[in-house]
Amino acid sequence: MSHRRLWTVALLAAMLLLAACGGGTSGGTDTPPAGGTGGSEPSGEEAPSQVVVGIDADTRALDPLTPLDATTTRILRNVYESLFFRTTDGELVPWLAESGDFSGNQWTIRLRQGITFHSGAELTAEAVKANLDYILDPDNAAGTQTLIPDVTGVEVVDTYTLRITTAEPNPDLAAQLTDVLIADPSVFAEAGAEALNENPVGTGPYRVERWQRDTELVLAAYEGYWQGRPAIDRVIFRVIPDTQARLAALLNGEVDLVPGVPPEMIAQIEADPAVRIEEVPGRQVIYVGMNLMRPGPLSDRRVRQALNYAVDADLIIDTILEGHATRNAAGLTAINAAYDPAIEPYRHDPERARQLLAEAGYAGGLTLDFHTPQGRYLKDYEAAQELARQLEAVGIRTNLQTHEWGTFLEMARSHTITDLYLIGLSDRTFAASQIDYLFHSGRTWVAFEDAEVDAAIERALAATDAAERSRLLSEASRLVQDYAPWIFLWQQHDIYGVSERLQWRARPDQQLFMFEASVR
C-alpha cells in the first residue's frame, strides 16, 4: 500500500463540474470543487431570496472550536469551513486545502490562495496553525480535540503550506479534518474561543447577521466568498422544538426545509404538491449508552450483554420507525470505511438475557435509571418506551426520565447521567478513526475504560497495510460488540420535508450546507 495520497484541485474541479453540467471544460483551479450552486449575482430587479430552515434545537454556540455536537456543526458549516470536505455523494475532497499528501507520520497540506475571512483577513498557514494549536491545547478543553487526537505538532512551511505530524502514520487525517472548522484567529487569539460567540468570523458562504439564542439564527450571503456569491441571499435557522409545529410550518409555507420528519407524516407531505420528502441513510447511530464510570450492575459484562439480548431493535425499526432505519451491529455505520458487514447484531433472545442476569446474580431482576430526550431523534421517546417494556419483560425495571436537550447533552458529556441513556452519535468522518472516537477510553462521549478495547483500536489504526488494517479493525469491532458498552440499536435515516421552491438534496452527513441550494 502506498503511504502517499494526493488530491489535485484543478483535476477534481474539472471532474465535478463536468459531472454537474454533463459536459464542458473546467475554468481552472478557482472552480468550486463541489459543484455548488453559488456564484450567482441577483439582478437589480430581483427581490432578495430567503430560505427558512425549521430546526429542533439551536446551535450550542457560534464558536466552532469548542463544541462537539452535530447540531452545532451542521449549522455553523455555513459560516466556517474545513480543510477537507465531503461532497453530497460522500466523496472526500480538498476544500480550504488545495491538496494534501502524507508520508510516514507527516501530512503536508497546501492551502488555496486568495481566500479571505469575513473580516477581510487572508487565510494563511499561520491562521490554520493557530486554530489547530488552540484545539490541541489541553488548557482550552476543546471538544473538537477528539477529532484529531493523534496530532502531535503543526508547523508552518510557508505562507500557504503547513505540515502536520501525527503520533503514528495516519491515512485518515484528511477525513478527520472535515469537521474541524477554521475561524479567524485574530478574534480568539487573546480572548479565547468564547469571543467567537460575539464575533463569529469564518471563511464560509454566509456571515452571521443576527442570533437570538433558542429562537433563530439569521445568516446573510458573504459577498467575498471564494467560490462566488451564494444563490440564496439570506438563510434563517428557526428553532421550533415541537415536531408537529415544525411540520405545520412547512405545510403552511412558513419554512422551506425541516429535518426529522416522523414516518407517520410522510404520506401527508407527499400528498401536498407544494412540498416533498428527501430521505437518506444518515451518519447517526442511535444506541442506549451505559455509564460504566459508576459502580453498579452495569459493571458486569454479562448484564450488559443481557440488555442487548433483551431488546428487539428490529421490531422497533419495523413498527415505530416504519422501516426508516438500518440495524446496527457494533457502532460503525454502513457508510464507514471500517464497517464489517459480516458482524451480525445481537439477536433478540429473552431466555439468554435471563440466563446471563442469573449468572451475574440478578435472577430476581434489577432496576436501572433510563434517560431519554424527546423530539431530538426520530421517535426517540416512543422507542425508549418500547425498549423499557422489552427490558422489563426479562426482569429489568427502568425509571424512564426525559430531559431538555441541552441538559441531557451536558449530563451525557460529563458522565453525570445515571445508568442508561438513549442517544445518537454521528459518524463525523466516515473514516476508520471513528472507532476511536466512539470507543477509546478518554474520548468525550466514552463512558467506560477498558485496556483491551483501547489496545485493539490502537493496533488497528496503526496498521498501514490495507488488508491488515481491515482485519484488525474487524477484530476491534467484534471485541467492542462483546464488551457491550452500549445497547446497539440502529443507524437512523434522515428524513426531510422540503418546499418545492427549494432546490436542495439531502446529504448522508446531515449537513445543512446552503451554498449547495437555490430557490426556484
Side-chain angles (χ1 to χ4, degrees):
M1 172 183 175
S2 169
H3 298 332
R4 298 182 61 86
R5 296 179 185 176
L6 176 67
W7 291 277
T8 304
V9 65
L11 177 60
L12 176 63
M15 291 172 63
L16 290 170
L17 185 65
L18 189 66
C21 299
T25 58
S26 170
T29 58
D30 59 348
T31 305
T37 55
S40 63
E41 289 288 348
S43 70
E45 298 178 358
E46 292 177 345
S49 56
Q50 176 173 293
V51 165
V52 181
V53 183
I55 53 176
D56 61 333
D58 199 2
T59 175
R60 295 182 64 204
L62 298 182
D63 152 31
L65 305 181
T66 307
L68 188 65
D69 65 283
T71 301
T72 296
T73 303
R74 75 193 308 199
I75 296 173
L76 293 191
R77 188 172 293 283
N78 293 281
V79 179
Y80 307 94
E81 296 179 291
S82 51
L83 294 173
F84 299 89
F85 189 46
R86 294 278 179 186
T87 68
T88 307
D89 295 320
E91 181 185 2
L92 179 65
V93 297
W95 200 254
L96 293 179
E98 181 177 271
S99 66
D101 65 271
F102 77 98
S103 178
N105 65 337
Q106 288 190 328
W107 275 78
T108 299
I109 295 175
R110 297 170 184 84
L111 302 177
R112 298 178 191 274
Q113 299 183 30
I115 296 178
T116 61
F117 291 101
H118 303 155
S119 61
E122 187 179 18
L123 175 75
T124 63
E126 287 284 0
V128 174
K129 174 177 166 57
N131 278 261
L132 297 180
D133 285 348
Y134 186 93
I135 291 169
L136 294 169
D137 186 342
D139 291 341
N140 294 324
T144 46
Q145 187 275 334
T146 62
L147 297 171
I148 48 173
D150 64 338
V151 172
T152 58
V154 183
E155 172 192 357
V156 171
V157 178
D158 59 40
T159 304
Y160 303 106
T161 308
L162 63 155
R163 185 172 295 122
I164 300 176
T165 303
T166 56
E168 301 286 344
N170 180 6
D172 292 334
L173 183 63
Q176 291 171 302
L177 289 169
T178 58
D179 262 8
V180 176
L181 304 181
I182 304 301
D184 185 343
S186 68
V187 178
F188 65 83
E190 299 296 332
E194 286 189 1
L196 291 162
N197 289 314
E198 300 298 326
N199 187 22
V201 181
T203 61
Y206 291 92
R207 57 194 309 168
V208 175
E209 182 176 289
R210 184 178 71 256
W211 184 34
Q212 187 176 354
R213 190 183 288 271
D214 295 324
T215 301
E216 67 179 23
L217 174 65
V218 181
L219 306 181
Y222 173 42
E223 300 288 344
Y225 186 50
W226 59 278
Q227 292 195 52
R229 191 182 190 283
I232 299 170
D233 300 310
R234 180 173 283 104
V235 178
I236 300 174
F237 289 94
R238 184 166 297 157
V239 182
I240 310 175
D242 182 75
T243 302
Q244 295 301 320
R246 285 198 306 276
L247 295 173
L250 174 70
L251 294 170
N252 292 336
E254 298 169 17
V255 303
D256 301 288
L257 175 61
V258 171
V261 175
E264 69 271 15
M265 289 293 294
I266 291 177
Q268 182 178 349
I269 290 174
E270 289 180 331
D272 189 328
V275 293
R276 69 182 187 277
I277 287 290
E278 291 263 352
E279 179 174 356
V280 63
R283 69 177 185 174
Q284 197 156 58
V285 171
I286 306 298
Y287 65 98
V288 174
M290 307 181 202
N291 187 354
L292 308 185
M293 310 300 283
R294 304 160 59 94
L298 296 175
S299 299
D300 193 313
R301 183 183 308 204
R302 293 168 296 185
V303 173
R304 303 194 301 270
Q305 291 177 340
L307 291 168
N308 276 279
Y309 283 116
V311 304
D312 188 348
D314 289 320
L315 176 66
I316 297 175
I317 291 171
D318 292 341
T319 56
I320 294 174
L321 303 181
E322 298 183 24
H324 299 281
T326 301
R327 185 78 165 93
N328 182 257
L332 296 178
T333 65
I335 54 180
N336 188 279
Y339 174 77
D340 183 354
I343 299 177
E344 295 288 336
Y346 277 91
R347 68 185 184 277
H348 179 224
D349 190 341
E351 283 306 312
R352 178 61 176 152
R354 294 187 187 96
Q355 178 186 352
L356 286 167
L357 289 172
E359 291 175 4
Y362 298 100
L366 70 157
T367 300
L368 299 171
D369 290 338
F370 186 9
H371 307 264
T372 180
Q374 187 167 4
R376 175 64 185 89
Y377 308 110
L378 186 65
K379 309 293 284 186
D380 46 15
Y381 182 63
E382 293 85 349
Q385 287 180 307
E386 174 58 20
L387 287 167
R389 186 194 67 77
Q390 294 175 1
L391 292 174
E392 188 169 4
V394 300
I396 302 173
R397 296 171 296 278
T398 59
N399 297 318
L400 187 60
Q401 305 169 40
T402 61
H403 304 274
E404 180 272 331
W405 172 242
T407 301
F408 178 90
L409 195 66
E410 179 56 28
M411 290 169 62
R413 186 199 64 78
S414 63
H415 310 315
T416 56
I417 204 163
T418 53
D419 298 336
L420 308 177
Y421 51 100
L422 180 74
I423 195 169
L425 282 183
S426 292
D427 187 342
R428 304 181 73 96
T429 65
F430 301 171
S433 55
Q434 177 74 3
I435 194 172
D436 179 274
Y437 172 73
L438 294 178
F439 300 114
H440 194 291
S441 62
R443 304 303 180 234
T444 301
W445 305 106
V446 179
F448 64 91
E449 295 179 353
D450 186 80
E452 187 180 6
V453 170
D454 289 350
I457 292 171
E458 290 162 10
R459 282 195 303 272
L461 295 181
T464 55
D465 177 78
E468 177 69 0
R469 198 170 202 246
S470 179
R471 183 185 68 80
L472 291 172
L473 285 165
S474 177
E475 285 185 4
S477 290
R478 291 177 185 277
L479 181 61
V480 164
Q481 187 191 55
D482 184 70
Y483 184 76
W486 299 355
I487 301 177
F488 299 98
L489 296 177
W490 52 78
Q491 175 186 353
Q492 181 172 290
H493 291 190
D494 296 328
I495 309 172
Y496 300 86
V498 188
S499 168
E500 284 292 357
R501 71 183 287 268
L502 180 64
Q503 292 182 300
W504 177 85
R505 185 174 153 208
R507 302 172 52 96
D509 60 6
Q510 291 186 313
Q511 300 303 300
L512 297 169
F513 187 49
M514 300 311 292
F515 184 71
E516 298 175 329
S518 62
V519 291
R520 290 183 172 91

